[in-house]
């Protein structure tokens, strides 16, 4: 089987990467002199009247305008090989067009709409391109402008950069990472990153006119589609790449912009001449991206899907139960929001979540790089994303099956199914409308976010595994199988890629003095990326022979006798297992002679106890081919050898590999069927510390990979079948684990579907989801068993050390018995490792060995565990010196240094913030209502509810929304926003409570509405002050907003205040007792440490209006006084309020006793003189003007 060596990589020139592409049209059995035609038929299936024209030269071909009964009535087409038909929607052969080849019926968007067409000759292959020149240097940033006047009409510098300026795009939208910076913006470093910032900074006068155009297009105007598109203010962030028909028009495109400031009337501010600057040029192609996008316009949809679909809880939820799906989604998110608990998952938390859920971290690392190192997943990303589980799939492509064993009662995976699906992760799908699929369409399939394969639709049966007929004359891929084994840590028995040398980034053509691995450092691998340095003589880097790949390490044309052309491997030593693979091209020149070291691909050597050891993996010329040999010697004597005779043809690229593991022995591999094994080989690998690579002088090298661990035949098969296509490098660098996410996007008629994803699992019988937890008893374990015929388990432990060769594990726990099926989770609460948590900051690796009756064991990958500081505080709270217990008292504790300062930095953070942002919200303590109203939206930070009905939650009278804060906090103010412009007073009340009172009706302390702060626009926000006579804030952890009217639509709840210095906290029970677990994993807390403990309780009483006399109450004698004495005091402390005017009123019942004309009078001067103010019975009078603050005498 011949394997293409052509890889995606481009030659590097001047530090910039260029991607070269060539359109090649192959025509078989076409006579040079034959006349070729393009034909349109009036009816479908090539029936009815026809219009046919001969081929013409591109740009001036024959035209055929439709008139009469045939005008705009074409329904099918037939195009000869070697030409293509361009059909226009107008009679002038201009405007919108579509290019057609082959034969078929026109789809609904073009049937009966063609007014003119041309017949063009397909282009011939161009000559091989010469290396591109470096692009011209970018223009310098503009000089700083003079000081800016007040907005609008600013005059400030505007700097535009593209942080992700890829030159080849094959997706239907792409985010080039354009950043507009200007000191006048609300965020000077990013003016247009969100719709809010666009609106805000446009209000400041900033404008960016952006045009995206195809270089050969004549654009007289710019609209919403390519090839002549307007992209105002570089928003949305992801640039759509389609034309008006939703199709991609391949070609070279350029992005030009003109940024400036305007006055309030729209006039351009002087000093900003109309100039267009080219920001970026790129080539647009139809194809698959190497990596799935993280999401569109900041939504992070694919990251959210990845988190959910690697969670076993989510994969087993009933997808038809809206409430359960909502609950599980939020539970998955909150489970990993722990370091710190802040309502967002940081990059480190996402990595920890992936490891805990036995999934790959590689794509998260790539997405974090894409996000500028600031990857942050919010609850709204997770809750809003639409995921299609197997039983609820919808869309143009629907997954129908995937390997994912289950232990759900009544539908457990059987032992036979467990055995049949082991070591092969398979997923299959169907097409919702097979009739719409046509030859040339394709499906981009991704595993864990990395492109796994691009699978094209064929018109004939390709005979490939995973393909099938979906309609007459249409064969499409409907299944993939991923055989890549699980990746382990460096010291694990599972494989790890520790180095990958591609040569592309090691300099242009010239001597290779330093070659650096481009793969990520494996987990547990010490130091930086491995490198290669010349052992003696350096070799030359040049473009790969035949144009395949990019840069290769060349063969040595004139080797000097006695010199070595190998490279020293600078990296960690290998424990017990190793494997090396490469793409090679042997010229069979025989210049190595009989020196096997000058034939070597990899050469290990070392000595111990006076014995010399060597392991050589090399190519030896044998006639018109080369033998592939791995040979182990001691003192020069051949001990073991594995060999494939004639396995490498001369002057052709071939994939070769060798592996050694303690269990499998010595193996060599060169094609899908050619391999040889010395299974009995036991090699002293630890005694061979020196490794040199690439010493064969008659061989050209490319894509050299170095592995540790047990590398199986399936890894070599996967690499060989992938070849050097663009996706292969990323596939090699990925670190697949047990849980995998398979996603597919179908490109049908040049229209791309969304990414449809499903969960899948690769398992081989070893335990997964291994976890260790420390409590007061010791370290306990949980794991999931994937074996279907085990009889016992062992938990293995090893101390973490910098010695990568210290691989001995001790058995610390033995567990007898087996678990049913291959998906059961075991919680070993009675099997405890008591020594591992004896003191804080001890570091361990744990593994689980699954033992089978046959004697063949499976060992899990390593689980890292660091023992935290752990303790327990138990006590009670009493009133003063008494023994009376005080219930529901908040108790706080925290660690301090000897000088009294808090150890935790969080305990010293008392800054004011929105404590409710991205926190959990429940609707009337009811999960069904919570899910149906999507209550997470009221803490997403968007007060406008701009997402429509999905941006707000509805309440009727008596219902409430309760926000659970991350910490016990000091709350100063609550904000509650509602839909629309509301002029009346708030129809809600807001409360702060110390604990979750559930549905008891006890909402806690009521905060007082502050009408002066109400803001009303397209939405209205009310503010509630949480303070009392002597308190500036209320303490609590739960904020509740209660509806007081019949219907309220809430868009946002915010709680402003600060966290308290209360890292560890509890509330006393009804008997005044509390119990508090103290766990700290920071590594900062010493074994002996000071602990501050305090109790807190506050009594908040709401404001009340006490009625002293109610003259309308005939039933109460207290409300029928015979005489009334009105006393008005005026003190310095109340002078300010007196100046505002104090109303006074005479009760009507008193007026009946004193006379109908009874009044209350205030005089300015003593002696009943000067200005006065009086009020009749049951009336009031405010004092202002000259009387304000100047009362002297009263008469009643």
């Amino acid at each position: 089987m011949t394997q293409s060596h052509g890889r995606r990589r481009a030659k590097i020139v001047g530090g910039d990467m260029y991607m070269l592409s060539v359109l090649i049209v192959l025509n078989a059995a076409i006579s040079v002199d034959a006349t070729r035609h393009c034909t349109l038929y009036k009816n479908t299936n090539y029936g009815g009247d026809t219009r046919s024209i001969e081929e013409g030269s591109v740009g001036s071909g024959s035209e055929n305008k439709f008139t009469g009964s045939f005008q705009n009535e074409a329904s099918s087409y037939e195009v000869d090989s070697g030409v293509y038909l361009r059909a226009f929607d107008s009679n002038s052969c201009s405007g919108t067009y579509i290019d057609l080849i082959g034969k078929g019926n026109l789809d609904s968007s073009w049937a009966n709409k063609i007014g003119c067409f041309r017949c063009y000759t397909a282009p011939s292959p161009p000559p091989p391109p010469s290396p591109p020149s470096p692009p011209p240097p970018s223009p310098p940033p503009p000089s700083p402008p003079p000081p800016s006047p007040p907005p609008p009409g600013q005059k400030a510098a505007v700097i535009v950069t593209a942080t992700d300026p890829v030159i080849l795009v094959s997706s239907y939208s792409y985010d080039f990472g354009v950043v507009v910076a200007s000191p006048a913006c609300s965020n000077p470093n990013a003016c247009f990153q969100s719709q809010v910032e666009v609106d805000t900074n446009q209000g400041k006068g900033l404008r960016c006119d952006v045009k995206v155009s195809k270089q050969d297009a004549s654009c007289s105007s710019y609209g919403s589609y390519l090839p002549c598109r307007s992209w105002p203010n570089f928003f949305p962030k992801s640039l759509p790449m389609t034309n008006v028909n939703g199709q991609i028009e391949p070609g070279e495109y350029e992005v030009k912009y003109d940024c400036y400031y305007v006055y309030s009337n729209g006039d351009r501010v002087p000093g900003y001449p109309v100039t267009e600057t080219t920001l970026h040029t790129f080539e647009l192609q139809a194809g698959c991206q190497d990596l799935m996008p993280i999401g569109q316009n900041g939504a992070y949809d694919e990251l959210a899907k990845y988190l959910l679909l690697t969670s076993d809880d989510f994969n087993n939820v009933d997808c038809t139960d809206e409430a359960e799906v909502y609950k599980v989604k939020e539970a998955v998110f909150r489970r990993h929001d722990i370091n710190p608990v802040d309502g967002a998952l940081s990059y480190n938390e996402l990595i920890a979540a992936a490891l805990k859920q036995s999934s790959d971290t590689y794509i998260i690392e790539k997405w974090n790089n894409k996000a500028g190192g600031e990857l942050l997943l919010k609850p709204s990303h997770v809750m809003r994303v639409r995921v299609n589980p197997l039983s609820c799939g919808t869309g143009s492509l629907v997954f129908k099956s995937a390997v994912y064993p289950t232990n759900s009662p009544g539908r457990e995976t059987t032992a036979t199914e467990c055995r049949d699906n082991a070591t092969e992760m398979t997923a299959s799908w169907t097409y919702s409308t097979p009739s719409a699929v046509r030859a040339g369409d394709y499906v981009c399939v991704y595993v864990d976010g990395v492109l796994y394969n691009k699978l094209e639709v064929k018109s004939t049966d390709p005979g490939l595994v995973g393909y099938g007929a979906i309609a007459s004359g249409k064969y499409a891929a409907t299944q993939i199988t991923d055989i890549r084994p699980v990746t382990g840590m460096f010291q694990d028995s599972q494989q790890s890629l520790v180095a990958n040398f591609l040569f592309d980034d090691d300099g242009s053509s010239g001597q290779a003095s330093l070659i650096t691995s481009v793969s990520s450092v494996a987990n547990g691998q010490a130091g930086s990326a491995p490198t290669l340095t010349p052992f003696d003589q350096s070799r030359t880097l040049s473009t790969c022979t035949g144009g395949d790949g990019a840069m290769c390490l060349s063969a040595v044309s004139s080797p000097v006798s006695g010199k070595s052309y190998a490279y020293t491997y600078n990296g960690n030593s290998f424990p017990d297992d190793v494997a090396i693979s490469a793409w090679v091209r042997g010229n069979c020149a025989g210049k190595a002679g009989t020196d096997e070291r000058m034939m070597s691909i990899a050469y290990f050597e070392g000595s111990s106890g006076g014995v010399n050891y060597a392991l050589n993996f090399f190519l030896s010329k044998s006639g018109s081919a080369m033998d592939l040999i791995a040979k182990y010697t001691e003192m020069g004597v051949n001990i073991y050898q594995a060999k494939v005779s004639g396995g490498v043809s001369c002057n052709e690229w071939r994939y070769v590999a060798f592996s050694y593991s303690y269990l499998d022995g010595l193996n060599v591999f060169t094609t899908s069927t050619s391999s040889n094994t010395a299974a009995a080989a036991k090699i002293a690998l630890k005694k061979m510390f020196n490794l040199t690579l690439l010493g064969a002088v008659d061989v050209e090298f490319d894509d050299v990979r170095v592995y540790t661990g047990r590398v199986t035949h399936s890894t070599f098969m996967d690499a060989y079948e992938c070849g050097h296509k663009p996706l292969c490098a990323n596939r090699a660098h990925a670190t697949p684990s047990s849980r995998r996410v398979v996603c597919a996007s179908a490109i049908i008629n040049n229209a791309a579907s969304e990414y449809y994803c499903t969960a899948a699992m690769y398992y081989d019988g070893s335990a997964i989801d291994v976890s260790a937890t420390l409590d007061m008893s010791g370290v306990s374990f949980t794991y999931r068993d994937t074996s279907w015929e085990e009889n016992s388990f062992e938990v293995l432990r090893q101390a973490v050390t910098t010695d990568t060769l210290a691989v001995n594990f001790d058995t610390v726990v033995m567990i007898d018995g087996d678990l049913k099926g291959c998906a059961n989770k075991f919680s070993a609460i009675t099997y405890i490792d008591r020594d591992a948590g004896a003191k804080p900051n001890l570091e361990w690796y744990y593994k689980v060995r699954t033992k089978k009756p046959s004697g063949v064991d499976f060992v899990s990958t390593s689980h890292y565990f660091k023992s935290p500081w752990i303790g327990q505080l138990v006590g009670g709270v009493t009133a003063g010196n008494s023994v009376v217990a005080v219930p529901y008292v908040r108790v706080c504790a925290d660690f301090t240094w000897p000088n009294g300062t808090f150890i935790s930095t969080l305990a010293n953070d008392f800054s004011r913030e929105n404590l409710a942002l991205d926190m959990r919200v429940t609707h009337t303590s009811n999960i069904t209502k919570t899910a149906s109203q999507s209550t997470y939206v009221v803490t997403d930070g968007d007060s406008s509810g701009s997402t429509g009905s999905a941006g707000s939650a509805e309440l009727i009278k008596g219902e409430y929304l309760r926000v659970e804060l991350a910490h016990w906090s000091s709350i100063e103010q609550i904000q509650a926003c509602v839909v629309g412009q509301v002029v009346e007073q708030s129809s809600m009340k807001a409360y702060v409570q110390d604990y979750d009172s559930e549905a008891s009706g006890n909402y806690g302390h009521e905060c007082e509405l502050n009408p002066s702060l109400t803001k009303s626009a397209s939405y209205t926000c009310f503010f509630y002050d949480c303070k009392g006579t002597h308190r500036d804030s209320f303490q609590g952890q739960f904020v509740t907003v209660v509806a007081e009217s019949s219907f309220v639509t809430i868009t946002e709840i915010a709680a402003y205040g600060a966290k308290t210095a209360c890292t560890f906290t509890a509330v006393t029970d009804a008997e005044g007792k509390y119990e508090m677990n103290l766990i700290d994993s920071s590594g900062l807390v010493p074994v002996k440490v000071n602990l501050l403990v305090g109790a807190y309780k506050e009594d908040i009483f709401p404001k009340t209006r006490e009625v002293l006399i109610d003259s309308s109450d005939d039933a109460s004698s207290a409300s029928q006084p015979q005489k009334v004495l009105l006393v008005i005091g005026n003190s310095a402390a109340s002078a300010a309020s007196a100046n505002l005017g104090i109303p006074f009123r005479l009760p009507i019942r008193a007026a009946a006793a004193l006379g109908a004309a009874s009044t209350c009078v205030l005089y300015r001067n003593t002696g009943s003189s000067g200005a006065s103010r009086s009020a009749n019975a049951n009336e009031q009078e405010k004092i202002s003007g000259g009387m304000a603050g100047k009362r002297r005498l009263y008469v009643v």
Side-chain angles (χ1 to χ4, degrees):
M1 178 177 180
T2 301
Q3 183 66 31
S4 170
H5 171 69
R7 191 165 65 251
R8 79 282 167 236
R9 296 178 283 136
K11 184 177 180 181
I12 305 301
V13 181
D16 293 316
M17 177 170 283
Y18 297 83
M19 189 67 70
L20 304 179
S21 63
V22 178
L23 171 63
I24 300 176
V25 180
L26 300 178
N27 300 317
I30 297 295
S31 171
V32 177
D33 298 326
T35 300
R36 294 174 286 200
H37 294 81
C38 299
T39 305
L40 286 174
Y41 297 87
K42 185 172 183 179
N43 301 334
T44 57
N45 299 321
Y46 329 113
D49 294 341
T50 64
R51 293 290 187 270
S52 182
I53 55 177
E54 297 179 1
E55 71 174 289
S57 60
V58 175
S60 61
S62 301
E63 299 180 5
N64 194 29
K65 299 180 180 180
F66 294 163
T67 58
S69 62
F70 201 91
Q71 183 171 358
N72 292 39
E73 292 189 10
S75 298
S76 58
Y77 62 90
E78 186 172 10
V79 183
D80 290 343
S81 297
V83 295
Y84 66 93
L85 184 154
R86 176 165 291 181
F88 297 84
D89 63 356
S90 71
N91 289 349
S92 61
C93 270
S94 62
T96 304
Y97 64 84
I98 183 175
D99 292 333
L100 303 169
I101 60 174
K103 58 189 297 186
N105 294 323
L106 293 167
D107 60 30
S108 58
S109 62
W110 280 93
N112 301 320
K113 296 179 182 178
I114 296 176
C116 173
F117 72 108
R118 294 175 175 175
C119 192
Y120 289 149
T121 305
S124 300
S130 59
S133 301
S138 301
S143 302
S148 59
Q154 310 248 10
K155 192 171 183 182
V158 183
I159 300 175
V160 182
T161 55
T163 61
D164 188 19
V166 299
I167 61 173
L168 181 65
V169 177
S170 59
S171 62
Y172 283 72
S173 66
Y174 198 84
D175 182 359
F176 293 105
V178 178
V179 176
V180 179
S182 180
C185 291
S186 55
N187 178 358
N189 297 319
C191 299
F192 297 137
Q193 297 300 101
S194 69
Q195 185 63 60
V196 172
E197 289 171 328
V198 171
D199 296 341
T200 299
N201 294 314
Q202 278 193 317
K204 294 176 179 289
L206 179 59
R207 302 286 189 274
C208 280
D209 297 334
V210 188
K211 298 175 181 178
V212 185
S213 60
K214 194 175 180 181
Q215 289 183 345
D216 61 354
S218 178
C219 298
S220 58
S221 62
Y222 292 81
S224 301
Y225 302 96
L226 294 178
C228 302
R229 181 186 176 90
S230 174
W231 190 21
N233 301 317
F234 299 100
F235 200 83
K237 291 179 62 180
S238 293
L239 172 63
M241 298 290 181
T242 56
N243 61 17
V244 69
N245 298 314
Q247 300 170 338
I248 284 181
E249 288 190 28
E252 296 287 337
Y253 286 78
E254 57 186 3
V255 181
K256 293 184 177 181
Y257 70 93
D258 178 21
C259 291
Y260 54 93
Y261 278 88
V262 299
Y263 291 112
S264 58
N265 63 0
D267 291 342
R268 184 184 287 248
V269 173
Y272 292 95
V274 180
T275 56
E276 289 188 343
T277 303
T278 300
L279 173 67
H280 183 50
T281 59
F282 63 95
E283 181 183 359
L284 178 61
Q285 288 188 347
C288 302
Q289 299 182 75
D290 289 345
L291 301 173
M292 285 178 62
I294 189 173
Q296 299 296 330
N297 297 321
Y300 287 6
D301 285 354
E302 307 311 326
L303 175 59
K305 290 179 188 176
Y306 191 70
L307 175 70
L308 293 172
L309 289 171
T310 53
S311 165
D312 195 63
D313 290 343
F314 182 81
N315 293 329
N316 286 293
V317 72
D318 180 1
C319 59
T320 63
D321 189 330
E322 179 187 44
E324 281 301 306
V325 171
Y326 186 98
K327 183 169 68 174
V328 170
K329 274 186 173 184
E330 183 146 32
V332 170
F333 181 91
R334 304 293 175 187
R335 180 185 305 147
H336 302 295
D337 179 23
I338 54 176
N339 190 28
V341 182
D342 58 358
L345 296 183
S346 65
Y347 169 69
N348 289 332
E349 287 175 317
L350 288 166
I351 291 292
L355 293 174
K356 190 172 183 178
Q357 295 182 169
S358 297
S359 59
D360 192 359
T361 61
Y362 177 76
I363 189 60
I364 299 178
E365 296 169 7
K366 291 298 182 182
W367 281 337
N368 185 54
N369 294 337
K370 177 72 174 176
E374 298 181 355
L375 190 62
L376 201 67
L377 188 68
K378 297 293 192 76
S380 56
H381 297 146
V382 174
M383 304 305 293
R384 186 173 285 126
V385 70
R386 183 169 61 91
V387 186
N388 285 331
L390 286 177
S391 54
C392 299
T394 59
S396 58
L397 184 150
V398 179
F399 282 96
K400 67 175 184 179
S401 68
V403 171
Y404 199 97
T406 176
N407 64 344
S408 178
R411 56 187 186 96
E412 298 95 340
T413 304
T414 66
T416 300
E417 291 172 328
C418 289
R419 181 178 59 252
D420 292 345
N421 293 329
T423 68
E424 288 188 354
M425 185 225 72
T426 300
S428 63
W429 60 88
T430 60
Y431 300 88
S432 299
T433 54
S435 59
V437 179
R438 63 181 186 178
D441 292 339
Y442 55 93
V443 177
C444 302
V445 181
Y446 297 81
V447 177
D448 296 336
V450 177
L451 182 60
Y452 190 81
N453 216 338
K454 177 185 175 182
L455 303 167
E456 296 184 356
V457 178
K458 308 291 185 181
S459 58
T460 59
D461 187 355
L464 299 175
V465 175
Y467 269 76
I470 61 171
S472 178
K474 299 175 185 178
Y475 297 84
T478 57
Q479 175 181 299
I480 65 154
T481 299
D482 185 1
I483 61 174
R484 295 173 300 163
V486 171
T487 299
M489 297 180 65
F490 183 83
Q491 70 273 20
D492 283 342
S493 60
Q494 289 82 2
Q495 71 178 40
S496 294
L497 178 69
V498 296
N500 183 204
F501 303 104
L502 290 176
F503 311 111
D504 295 353
D505 299 322
D506 299 308
S508 56
S509 298
Q511 296 301 304
S513 57
L514 176 66
I515 302 171
T516 304
S517 170
V518 297
S519 61
S520 301
V521 175
N523 193 3
Q525 184 179 357
S528 56
T531 61
L532 299 178
T533 52
F535 179 81
D536 184 4
Q537 303 292 309
S538 63
R539 298 175 65 155
T540 302
L541 288 173
S542 62
T543 304
C544 298
T545 301
D548 296 326
M551 302 301 294
C552 289
L553 193 68
S554 302
V556 181
S557 57
S558 301
V560 178
S561 177
K563 298 290 185 179
S564 172
Y565 294 87
Y567 283 75
T568 300
Y569 177 81
N570 306 299
N572 297 146
S573 300
F574 300 94
D576 285 322
D577 311 307
V578 69
I580 294 174
S581 69
W583 282 88
V584 299
R585 185 180 185 275
N587 58 28
C588 298
K591 295 178 181 179
T594 58
D595 187 349
E596 292 183 353
R597 295 202 63 165
M598 296 186 74
M599 307 175 190
S600 176
I601 299 172
Y603 192 90
F604 298 81
E605 63 178 339
S607 61
S608 178
V611 179
N612 296 328
Y613 302 91
L615 173 61
N616 191 10
F617 175 47
F618 63 101
L619 288 165
S620 177
K621 183 177 181 300
S622 177
S624 59
M626 304 180 83
D627 296 339
L628 184 67
I629 304 170
K631 181 166 64 175
Y632 172 66
T633 63
E634 295 180 1
M635 299 300 292
V637 178
N638 188 9
I639 306 299
Y640 301 110
Q641 177 174 294
K643 177 179 179 180
V644 175
S645 298
V648 176
S649 301
C650 296
N651 298 311
E652 292 184 9
W653 285 101
R654 288 290 184 267
Y655 176 80
V656 298
F658 102 99
S659 67
Y660 169 74
S661 71
Y662 186 83
L663 293 177
D664 301 325
L666 190 62
N667 295 268
V668 292
F669 174 95
T670 185
T671 68
S672 60
T673 57
S674 298
S675 62
N676 187 260
T677 302
K682 302 300 178 190
I683 295 175
L685 190 62
K686 292 182 181 179
K687 298 180 180 180
M688 295 180 285
F689 295 103
N690 302 315
L691 169 62
T692 56
L693 296 172
L694 318 180
V697 296
D698 292 332
V699 176
E700 183 177 358
F701 291 99
D702 198 11
D703 195 3
V704 179
R705 304 177 187 179
V706 181
Y707 301 86
T708 186
R710 185 185 180 189
V711 180
T712 62
H713 188 269
S714 60
T715 296
F716 297 144
M717 278 291 298
D718 180 76
Y720 169 77
E721 291 177 353
C722 185
H724 283 197
K725 293 181 291 186
L727 54 94
C728 298
N730 281 320
R731 266 176 64 169
H733 299 165
T735 54
S737 191
S738 297
R739 284 195 184 81
R740 302 181 186 181
V741 177
V742 182
C743 298
S745 174
I747 290 76
I748 300 174
N749 292 322
N750 282 342
S753 73
E754 64 178 276
Y755 293 95
Y756 300 105
C757 302
T758 191
M761 184 183 291
Y762 177 99
Y763 63 94
D764 57 11
S766 58
I768 66 172
D769 299 345
V770 178
S771 178
T773 305
L774 178 65
D775 58 22
M776 299 303 295
S777 301
V779 179
S780 58
F781 307 95
T782 61
Y783 57 86
R784 192 173 300 275
D785 169 40
T786 69
S787 176
W788 53 97
E789 51 184 2
E790 76 283 351
N791 58 5
S792 62
F793 303 90
E794 294 179 0
V795 178
L796 313 177
R797 187 189 70 193
Q798 177 206 46
V800 174
T801 174
T802 57
D803 183 2
T804 57
L805 298 182
V807 294
N808 291 326
F809 279 74
D810 299 326
T811 299
V812 293
V813 174
M814 296 184 65
I815 304 168
D816 291 329
D818 61 343
L819 299 175
K820 184 178 180 180
C822 53
N824 268 296
K825 183 177 181 179
F826 180 69
S827 297
I829 56 177
T830 58
Y831 298 90
I832 294 174
D833 181 4
R834 301 186 186 279
D835 298 332
K839 60 181 181 179
N841 304 322
L842 297 177
E843 296 180 84
W844 308 97
Y845 287 125
Y846 283 105
K847 296 184 179 184
V848 174
R849 175 185 286 138
T850 303
K851 303 173 73 173
K852 298 174 61 177
S854 62
V856 178
D857 298 339
F858 297 111
V859 180
S860 72
T861 57
S862 296
H863 169 73
Y864 171 78
F865 173 77
K866 181 179 180 180
S867 60
W869 196 104
I870 187 169
Q872 193 173 57
L873 183 65
V874 179
V877 177
T878 58
N881 295 324
S882 70
V883 295
V884 178
V886 184
Y888 311 121
V889 174
R890 175 69 62 170
V891 180
C892 287
D894 217 330
F895 298 115
T896 65
W897 297 112
N899 62 4
T901 60
F902 291 110
I903 292 178
S904 170
T905 57
L906 295 177
N908 296 304
D909 182 10
F910 305 117
S911 57
R912 190 176 190 268
E913 59 183 303
N914 178 9
L915 302 165
L917 184 64
D918 297 317
M919 292 294 111
R920 185 195 302 267
V921 186
T922 56
H923 189 304
T924 320
S925 301
N926 185 299
I927 185 59
T928 301
K929 291 182 179 180
T930 299
S932 65
Q933 292 296 314
S934 299
T935 58
Y936 69 88
V937 300
V938 303
T939 58
D940 65 0
D942 181 7
S943 302
S944 67
S946 57
T947 52
S949 60
S952 59
E954 298 174 349
L955 299 177
I956 60 175
K957 187 173 182 179
E959 293 183 333
Y960 55 87
L961 293 176
R962 178 166 294 150
V963 183
E964 180 182 354
L965 307 184
H967 307 274
W968 186 58
S969 303
S970 175
I971 302 168
E972 301 170 7
Q973 190 177 68
I974 296 173
Q975 171 187 331
C977 301
V978 298
V979 170
Q981 188 171 6
V982 181
V983 295
E984 65 269 15
Q985 294 296 329
S986 172
S987 55
M988 302 170 289
K989 289 186 177 181
Y991 300 85
V992 175
Q993 179 63 287
D994 206 30
Y995 56 93
D996 185 1
S997 57
E998 298 180 341
S1000 65
N1002 178 14
Y1003 306 124
H1005 306 317
E1006 182 179 353
C1007 300
E1008 184 179 9
L1009 176 67
N1010 188 337
S1012 66
L1013 298 179
T1014 299
K1015 297 178 181 179
S1016 184
S1018 59
Y1019 56 94
T1020 303
C1021 293
F1022 299 98
F1023 293 84
Y1024 302 81
D1025 294 332
C1026 304
K1027 60 183 181 180
T1029 307
H1030 304 290
R1031 295 292 306 160
D1032 294 328
S1033 63
F1034 293 169
Q1035 307 292 119
Q1037 194 169 354
F1038 293 86
V1039 171
T1040 304
V1041 174
V1042 183
E1044 293 292 310
S1045 65
S1046 58
F1047 187 80
V1048 179
T1049 304
I1050 298 179
T1051 62
E1052 189 72 13
I1053 296 175
Y1056 296 102
K1059 303 181 183 72
T1060 59
C1062 193
T1063 302
F1064 306 102
T1065 182
V1067 177
T1068 59
D1069 59 18
E1071 298 178 351
K1073 305 294 184 183
Y1074 68 89
E1075 183 178 292
M1076 192 186 307
N1077 292 322
L1078 310 176
I1079 301 177
D1080 182 272
S1081 301
S1082 67
L1084 300 176
V1085 180
V1087 176
K1088 295 183 179 180
V1089 65
N1090 295 325
L1091 184 70
L1092 293 184
V1093 183
Y1096 180 86
K1097 181 169 181 160
E1098 61 185 19
D1099 290 322
I1100 307 294
F1101 301 99
K1103 288 185 177 181
T1104 60
R1105 298 181 63 87
E1106 300 295 335
V1107 178
L1108 300 178
I1109 300 173
D1110 184 358
S1111 59
S1112 65
D1113 185 2
D1114 296 330
S1116 173
S1117 59
S1119 296
Q1120 302 178 28
Q1122 296 301 312
K1123 294 183 179 181
V1124 176
L1125 177 64
L1126 174 63
V1127 179
I1128 299 178
N1130 183 20
S1131 64
S1134 61
S1137 58
N1139 288 335
L1140 295 176
I1142 300 178
F1144 59 95
R1145 177 177 294 178
L1146 180 68
I1148 192 169
R1149 298 294 297 180
L1154 298 176
S1158 298
T1159 58
C1160 297
V1161 184
L1162 287 175
Y1163 295 90
R1164 180 170 183 172
N1165 302 328
T1166 58
S1168 303
S1169 65
S1172 65
R1173 291 289 187 272
S1174 63
N1176 293 326
N1178 205 36
E1179 293 180 352
Q1180 68 180 18
E1181 179 77 11
K1182 291 188 177 180
I1183 301 173
S1184 58
M1187 281 285 289
K1190 297 180 180 179
R1191 281 84 68 193
R1192 293 290 186 271
L1193 178 69
Y1194 62 88
V1195 175
V1196 178

